[in-house]
Amino acid sequence: ACCGSGEKRYIHGGWAWAWCGVTDVQRIALNVMTLNPHCDSVETAEGVALTVTAVTQCKIMTGELLPTACEQFLGRTTREIEGIILQTLEGHLRAILGTLTVEEVYKDRDRFAALVREVASPDVGKMGIEILSFTIKDIMDKVEYLNSLGKAQTAVVKRDADIGVAEANRDAGIRRAEAERARMDVRYTADTNIADSRREYEMAKAAFDQEVNRVRAEAELSYELQAAKIKQKIRTEEIQIEVVERRKEIDIEEKEILRKDKELIATVKRPAEAESFKVETIAEGRRAETVAKAQAEAMKIKAVGSAEASAIEAIGKAEAERMRQKAAAYKQYGDAALVSLVLEALPKIAAEITAPLSKTEDIVMLSGTGEGLTGEITKLVGQLPPAVQALTGVDISKAVSKIPGAQVA
């Protein structure tokens, strides 16, 4: 408060301005307080006097209940505050003890402490105090009730233990005998079961062996089949690899062919084309030269031919004129002229016929008629007119008969 003003400010964990001699400043500790509530010779619900000691942890609450705590405890020391809280807790502790039996207090201390805390918390809370924990530390009595309770409980426990041991021994013997009988039963049953199991095992083993053999045979066949399939697959892959290799080789060969073609083009074809062009150029020049020479020669031959043709034409005309005149003479003289021509031609014909005989040294003529050489010559000459007529179409005998003074035999 300041200068008699009724306004109050509560500062928790902070600071504020205070005027010396003017502002009234009061402090209160917010630390945890440890208290030991003690109740001496408090009667329980059964009238047994107990002395109970507890330990509790308390502190002043902050927040909305801080003004309440300040109103209750400002101006008091910590010891005075602890005394007030301690008296309140001891009062509630006495009240709770009066409602419980010794057994409930002794056997269930946590429940007893929870009841005290549950009953005391609202009252101390109204003063702005919070109970953090409440624990029963010690319980005692002056009439040895707790010791008697412990002895009776101990005796009961011992009795129950002896009875339990005896019953356990009895039950153990019974159980042992039952266990032995059960063991024998189990043994006999087990032996029977073993025999049955062995028989079933043998039968099952035989069936299993048969099945195993069948499966093994199938597995072997399947293995062989699978091996054949794998070999076939491997062979197929090998064929594929060979095909790929062959394709690669073909590609390489094609590339090599292309390379050789290019090499041939570069080393043979191009030079050959150049040489061919050179030869063609030279040939073209020579052809042009030859054509020019041939044209000149043709013109020369044409000129010579024209001259020769003119000469032949003149000769032909002269010969034709001669032949015309000869024909006119032949026409004028008739067959006599024709006979003259034949006679002029006969020596030439005879010469041509006897030309092969000119190379003959000796000629032997044989006659089967006995007429001799003269007769053969006469006969040969007699055959001459028909031969001339056959060759020339002129009948010499007829033509000679027309000659004055000539006779034909």
Side-chain angles (χ1 to χ4, degrees):
C2 181
C3 298
S5 174
E7 182 182 359
K8 297 178 181 179
R9 295 180 60 191
Y10 301 93
I11 306 301
H12 175 217
W15 61 275
W17 290 101
W19 298 95
C20 182
V22 177
T23 305
D24 184 11
V25 179
Q26 295 183 6
R27 294 178 175 84
I28 186 170
L30 301 179
N31 297 330
V32 176
M33 295 174 286
T34 302
L35 305 177
N36 295 307
H38 180 76
C39 296
D40 191 13
S41 300
V42 179
E43 293 183 358
T44 62
E46 296 177 347
V48 180
L50 295 177
T51 300
V52 179
T53 303
V55 178
T56 183
Q57 307 290 336
C58 301
K59 70 182 291 294
I60 296 174
M61 291 187 291
T62 58
E64 295 179 356
L65 296 177
L66 180 59
T68 301
C70 292
E71 290 178 359
Q72 298 292 331
F73 301 113
L74 275 178
R76 297 178 183 271
T77 62
T78 302
R79 187 175 296 275
E80 289 175 347
I81 296 171
E82 291 176 353
I84 295 171
I85 298 172
L86 185 60
Q87 289 178 4
T88 303
L89 293 175
E90 287 177 351
H92 288 291
L93 183 59
R94 288 175 181 275
I96 297 300
L97 279 173
T99 61
L100 299 175
T101 63
V102 177
E103 287 79 4
E104 292 174 345
V105 173
Y106 185 76
K107 291 181 180 180
D108 198 354
R109 295 188 180 190
D110 292 337
R111 179 173 175 273
F112 175 44
L115 288 173
V116 175
R117 181 177 179 180
E118 181 180 354
V119 173
S121 292
D123 290 339
V124 296
K126 294 177 182 179
M127 295 184 291
I129 302 299
E130 180 184 6
I131 299 175
L132 300 177
S133 66
F134 188 92
T135 306
I136 302 300
K137 181 179 180 183
D138 195 11
I139 300 174
M140 296 180 296
D141 70 301
K142 295 180 180 180
V143 295
E144 299 295 328
Y145 184 87
L146 295 174
N147 291 333
S148 299
L149 183 64
K151 289 179 181 179
Q153 185 67 28
T154 301
V156 171
V157 171
K158 287 183 179 180
R159 182 198 64 192
D160 294 339
D162 293 337
I163 294 171
V165 170
E167 291 178 350
N169 292 331
R170 181 198 64 192
D171 294 339
I174 294 171
R175 296 289 180 84
R176 190 178 296 111
E178 292 178 351
E180 183 65 21
R181 184 184 63 184
R183 185 183 70 82
M184 296 302 294
D185 293 339
V186 170
R187 180 179 177 182
Y188 295 147
T189 304
D191 292 340
T192 304
N193 292 332
I194 289 171
D196 294 338
S197 299
R198 183 177 293 107
R199 178 176 56 81
E200 293 177 357
Y201 168 74
E202 295 295 336
M203 295 176 63
K205 184 175 182 298
F208 290 157
D209 291 339
Q210 183 179 0
E211 183 68 18
V212 167
N213 292 331
R214 184 181 64 80
V215 173
R216 183 180 292 111
E218 292 179 355
E220 291 176 355
L221 293 176
S222 176
Y223 172 77
E224 293 177 357
L225 179 60
Q226 188 66 25
K229 289 181 178 179
I230 292 174
K231 289 181 180 179
Q232 184 178 4
K233 186 175 181 182
I234 292 173
R235 181 54 186 165
T236 303
E237 295 295 332
E238 290 177 351
I239 292 173
Q240 293 294 330
I241 293 172
E242 291 177 358
V243 170
V244 173
E245 291 178 352
R246 184 56 184 165
R247 288 178 180 174
K248 294 294 183 182
E249 291 176 358
I250 291 172
D251 293 338
I252 294 172
E253 290 176 358
E254 289 178 353
K255 292 181 180 179
E256 183 65 20
I257 290 170
L258 292 175
R259 187 189 67 79
K260 289 184 177 179
D261 288 341
K262 292 181 180 179
E263 184 179 357
L264 289 174
I265 289 171
T267 59
V268 177
K269 185 176 181 180
R270 296 304 182 191
E273 289 178 352
E275 185 65 23
S276 175
F277 179 75
K278 177 181 177 182
V279 171
E280 289 179 358
T281 304
I282 295 171
E284 184 67 22
R286 291 179 178 177
R287 185 182 68 81
E289 181 181 0
T290 303
V291 169
K293 289 181 178 180
Q295 290 177 352
E297 187 67 22
M299 292 178 69
K300 176 182 177 182
I301 292 171
K302 184 177 181 180
V304 173
S306 297
E308 290 179 352
S310 298
I312 291 171
E313 183 180 2
I315 294 171
K317 287 179 179 181
E319 186 67 24
E321 181 62 22
R322 186 181 68 82
M323 292 297 293
R324 187 183 64 79
Q325 293 176 2
K326 184 182 289 187
Y330 289 159
K331 185 177 181 181
Q332 182 178 359
Y333 292 105
D335 292 337
L338 183 60
V339 171
S340 177
L341 290 174
V342 171
L343 293 176
E344 289 178 359
L346 281 177
K348 295 180 179 179
I349 294 171
E352 293 293 332
I353 292 172
T354 59
L357 297 177
S358 63
K359 298 179 180 180
T360 304
E361 293 180 357
D362 297 325
I363 298 175
V364 178
M365 297 184 68
L366 298 177
S367 175
T369 59
E371 294 179 356
L373 179 60
T374 305
E376 291 294 334
I377 292 172
T378 302
K379 186 179 179 179
L380 179 62
V381 173
Q383 293 176 352
L384 183 61
V388 172
Q389 184 178 1
L391 291 173
T392 61
V394 178
D395 187 357
I396 297 176
S397 298
K398 186 177 180 180
V400 171
S401 63
K402 293 180 180 181
I403 298 174
Q407 296 179 356
V408 179

